[in-house]
Amino acid sequence: MSLDEIRAATARADSPLTAAILAARWVRSAGADDEHGRWWRANPDSRGASAVTPEPWSLYSGAAGIVLFFLELAAATGHEAYLEDARAGARRLAATWREQDDLTLYHGLTGVMVALMEAGWALGDGNFEAEAAAIADLIVRRGREAGGDEGPQWSRDPAQRGEGGIILGLLRAATHLGVPAYEEAAVEAGLRIARLPVPGHRFGDCADLPVDAVTPGFLAGTSGTAFLLARLYGVTGVDRFLQAARSGAAFVREVSLVTGACAVVPHHVPHARSLHYLGFCSGSAGVARMFYELYRVGGDPADLEWVLRLAKGIVRSGAPRRRTEGYWNVACQCCGAAGVIELFVGLWAATGDQAHLDYARALAADLIGRATDHNGQGYRWYQAYRRLRPGEVTADTGYMVGAAGIGSALLHLHAAGRPGDPRRVVLLPDNPFPAIPLPPSAVR
């Protein structure tokens, strides 16, 4: 029996772990089984629909992300029931992935591949890893068919939401599954992206943006592409990748607003220079990942200085107590508090600076305090996922947009608070921070 079944429905969370357990109760209330396994509704709340288009399989809002959450919750609590949740979801992913056509990391098969690799490793099930390899084979084959002599190509978008995420997934698969061909395809595709004049400047098709907008952010912008190129430099040592990554980083520095030791990044230019998101997708928490990856592979202290500038910019904004245009009523991993917690937990693990962990705890305390459990079905976070639609309030279950991802961020914080019991946490391929969230001094 798992803790979310034992704990009283009226109990309030007294720790990040307890909050994650109660979030699991909400996710479980959305579960549905069929002959293939288990999937989860994006929002089981009878009062409203999901904040996003239904994607029952995806990492962003569907089963792939929820499988990762349950794997982590099982590791944190030692309760086998959560492993069975993950197993049921992975079984369905393995049986149905061929019905999907999208290849991307967050919305398509690359994310499913990542979930199946993690499930295979945690559950000791080689069938899941075999299906992950079949997905990787399909991705490489599709890329080579589309790219021809120019090398593998999957879309015209080099950002994390497009080719960038696919390439990062292939790099993860090459390491996890031990197949060099996946890395070879990733490197070939990366070399083509590295030839772009300034990486990441092809984003006129983003929803709600002007057609000539340039986005310096992470998920759909320059920072995410520069992160990819820095990662490829770390893998290959090819200087072209480092030069291209630094080109993208230079653009981000140029358009950012720097005040003393603080920096914030515009959502898009030239139209929204004064709109500064704080979260992962388009704001400081994501852009900081790019600068840290550059520091990690290149060793330039100036890149780490920019990571810290962005972190200080978040603190200076007044979050979590102060709501701004870039930190509104949103709690999720994508653009809200959970994604910011991930940054500060990662920074503490990377630097050992206690101030980062203290701030992550302050963010978590505010986030937990905003949770709702009005009917005893578990913690959920009602949020205005879309900033431009403040009246559209929903409480989703998925990883990037809902309770599973919020729960995962809280589990990472919980792991960081246990130096005597270090454990591996599941980080996505675009997270550059230590997979055991402890500074080296604490491990020693």
Side-chain angles (χ1 to χ4, degrees):
M1 182 177 291
S2 61
L3 293 181
D4 74 311
E5 293 171 328
I6 298 170
R7 190 173 183 87
T10 56
R12 292 298 299 177
D14 53 10
S15 71
L17 177 60
T18 304
I21 290 167
L22 291 172
R25 181 182 290 172
W26 174 244
V27 176
R28 278 179 153 180
S29 75
D33 292 327
D34 61 22
E35 68 274 17
H36 299 301
R38 185 167 304 155
W39 61 282
W40 293 266
R41 287 170 288 162
N43 183 358
D45 194 335
S46 60
R47 294 187 293 172
S50 169
V52 295
T53 302
E55 295 174 345
W57 64 91
S58 78
L59 183 61
Y60 197 89
S61 59
I66 291 173
V67 165
L68 297 182
F69 170 52
F70 280 123
L71 290 173
E72 292 211 74
L73 193 56
T77 64
H79 282 265
E80 292 286 331
Y82 297 129
L83 284 181
E84 292 310 310
D85 289 312
R87 191 188 310 276
R91 188 184 305 120
R92 192 174 194 279
L93 289 174
T96 63
W97 67 262
R98 290 170 178 80
E99 301 172 9
Q100 315 306 331
D101 192 54
D102 189 316
L103 299 180
T104 61
L105 174 62
Y106 280 103
H107 298 283
L109 288 177
T110 300
V112 174
M113 176 186 71
V114 170
L116 288 173
M117 287 191 297
E118 291 291 343
W121 183 84
L123 297 167
D125 192 327
N127 290 329
F128 293 149
E129 291 182 317
E131 292 298 325
I135 294 174
D137 291 340
L138 173 70
I139 290 170
V140 171
R141 185 170 66 252
R142 291 259 189 98
R144 293 201 180 281
E145 290 171 352
D149 294 339
E150 295 185 1
Q153 183 169 8
W154 298 275
S155 78
R156 293 179 297 172
D157 188 344
Q160 301 286 24
R161 68 173 186 171
E163 292 203 317
I166 295 172
I167 293 170
L168 288 172
L170 287 176
L171 291 175
R172 171 74 67 89
T175 300
H176 185 106
L177 300 172
V179 182
Y182 302 154
E183 181 180 310
E184 293 168 6
V187 171
E188 288 180 48
L191 285 169
R192 176 175 41 77
I193 292 173
R195 291 194 290 268
L196 294 174
V198 180
H201 280 57
R202 303 173 74 176
F203 303 102
D205 61 340
C206 284
D208 302 319
L209 291 185
V211 294
D212 58 340
V214 176
T215 53
F218 196 79
L219 191 57
T222 308
S223 293
T225 306
F227 174 97
L228 166 71
L229 295 166
R231 174 65 56 83
L232 285 166
Y233 171 72
V235 169
T236 66
V238 174
D239 193 57
R240 177 187 287 271
F241 287 128
L242 183 61
Q243 293 177 3
R246 293 211 175 281
S247 176
F251 169 76
V252 175
R253 287 195 297 268
E254 180 180 344
V255 300
S256 295
L257 175 64
V258 179
T259 306
C262 303
V264 288
V265 182
H267 182 270
H268 60 278
V269 294
H271 320 82
R273 288 185 176 272
S274 61
L275 175 59
H276 305 125
Y277 276 32
L278 301 187
F280 159 78
C281 60
S282 301
S284 299
V287 175
R289 292 188 182 194
M290 178 268 290
F291 281 109
Y292 185 76
E293 182 71 3
L294 266 175
Y295 170 71
R296 191 182 70 83
V297 302
D300 187 343
D303 292 320
L304 180 59
E305 179 184 349
W306 261 86
V307 178
L308 300 178
R309 277 182 175 174
L310 291 162
K312 290 174 182 176
I314 293 172
V315 175
R316 186 181 182 186
S317 75
R321 298 299 181 187
R322 181 169 178 257
R323 299 284 183 260
T324 66
E325 273 196 292
Y327 189 78
W328 64 101
N329 176 28
V330 63
C332 63
Q333 283 265 4
C334 185
C335 43
V340 183
I341 289 172
E342 294 279 24
L343 169 65
F344 281 89
V345 170
L347 279 178
W348 176 72
T351 67
D353 187 338
Q354 184 65 31
H356 296 316
L357 187 58
D358 291 343
Y359 189 67
R361 287 171 172 158
L363 289 165
D366 180 77
L367 184 60
I368 293 169
R370 292 163 57 192
T372 298
D373 187 12
H374 62 270
N375 57 3
Q377 287 189 314
Y379 271 13
R380 80 294 311 258
W381 284 263
Y382 288 98
Q383 61 176 3
Y385 168 74
R386 303 183 191 281
R387 181 183 64 86
L388 298 178
R389 305 178 195 173
E392 187 179 281
V393 176
T394 59
D396 280 45
T397 59
Y399 195 95
M400 294 305 295
V401 71
I406 294 171
S408 294
L410 294 173
L411 290 175
H412 299 166
L413 176 59
H414 173 260
R418 300 173 65 84
D421 183 25
R423 70 171 184 266
R424 174 182 177 271
V425 299
V426 177
L427 300 182
L428 300 184
D430 57 13
N431 190 321
F433 296 112
I436 297 177
L438 294 173
S441 59
V443 176
R444 287 195 298 268

